[in-house]
Amino acid sequence: MTDVGQATRWLILVIRLPADPSRHRVAVWRELRRIGALSLGQGIWAVPEVPVFADGVRRALELTDGAGGQGLTLQASGRTAEDAARFREMFAAARSADWAEFLADCGKFEAEIAKEIRIATFTLAELEEEEQSLARLRRRHRDLTARDVFGAPEAAEAAIRLKWCAAVCEDYAERVFAALHALPTSDEETP
C-alpha cells in the first residue's frame, strides 16, 4: 500500500474520442480499467495522483491522441472534507470489488486443480497449464496491490489466498511427478 494522506489529490481525465471506429474507445477504456481508474461518467475518469498511475494515464492519453481524440488531465481534490472522503470511498469500493473478483478467481483455480486430482489427470501438459494460471493470479495480485493505494480490507485475505493457491499447485505438481515416476506394476509391464 502506498502512503496516501487524507488530502489526496486526484487526476481527472476528460477523454473525447470519435465515435468510429469503436476499437479506439475500447482500447482507451481497457487501459483505464487496467490501471484501476474510477469512471465518473461518460469519458471522465479519476485516479489518485500517485506515481503508480502515471504510466497508465500517459498510455491512455497517447491512445486518445493516436485515435484523433482529445484528452485533458486536471488536478483535483475534494472541495470539502466530505467530498474528499466520498471520492476516496468510491475508489476504495472499486478496489474492494477488484479484490472480490480476484478471490473468486482463486476459488476457480482451486476447484480446477481439485477436479484434475479427482479425475487423476496427472500430466505435464496439465501441470504447465495450472502453473500458467497461477502465474496469471500472481501478476494480477501484484497489479491490484500496486493500485490499492488506500488498502482495501480484502487485500490481506487475497494475499493469504494466493499463498494457498501456490500450495495447492505445488501439491498437484508433486502428484504429477509421483505419477510420472511411478514404477509400473506387473500388469502394466509390456513385453
Side-chain angles (χ1 to χ4, degrees):
M1 175 175 68
T2 305
D3 183 25
V4 180
Q6 286 297 106
T8 302
R9 294 196 49 87
W10 296 81
L11 293 178
I12 307 298
L13 287 79
V14 181
I15 306 286
R16 292 182 48 185
L17 289 161
D20 291 312
S22 63
R23 73 177 183 276
H24 296 300
R25 284 185 186 279
V26 172
V28 172
W29 177 83
R30 281 187 178 147
E31 181 61 28
L32 291 167
R33 293 288 300 156
R34 188 190 66 72
I35 67 168
L38 182 62
S39 176
L40 301 176
Q42 187 172 355
I44 303 172
W45 299 81
V47 294
E49 189 176 7
V50 294
V52 71
F53 296 103
D55 285 342
V57 167
R58 181 189 46 74
R59 282 190 302 271
L61 292 171
E62 287 172 356
L63 287 168
T64 299
D65 289 343
Q70 296 176 328
L72 178 65
T73 307
L74 306 168
Q75 291 178 319
S77 60
R79 187 169 168 234
T80 65
E82 291 80 19
D83 288 341
R86 176 105 189 258
F87 232 156
R88 185 178 172 135
E89 288 167 8
M90 290 168 54
F91 191 81
R95 296 301 67 83
S96 288
D98 289 344
W99 284 121
E101 186 178 319
F102 176 83
L103 289 166
D105 288 345
C106 286
K108 291 175 189 172
F109 176 81
E110 294 161 5
E112 172 65 20
I113 288 185
K115 180 192 86 162
E116 299 304 341
I117 291 171
R118 188 177 61 255
I119 63 174
T121 307
F122 300 119
T123 65
L124 287 176
E126 186 60 36
L127 175 59
E128 185 175 322
E129 186 177 315
E130 300 308 340
E131 287 174 336
Q132 289 172 0
S133 294
L134 179 61
R136 280 190 296 276
L137 283 174
R138 285 180 169 141
R139 281 190 305 273
R140 185 146 176 245
H141 184 269
R142 183 193 64 233
D143 292 345
L144 289 175
T145 299
R147 68 185 191 211
D148 185 13
V149 296
F150 301 122
E154 297 85 354
E157 180 183 353
I160 292 167
R161 193 72 178 272
L162 181 60
K163 286 179 183 174
W164 177 248
C165 287
V168 166
C169 191
E170 182 61 31
D171 174 67
Y172 180 65
E174 289 176 13
R175 291 171 187 251
V176 168
F177 289 120
L180 293 174
H181 295 99
L183 295 173
T185 63
S186 58
D187 293 342
E188 296 173 337
E189 291 180 16
T190 55

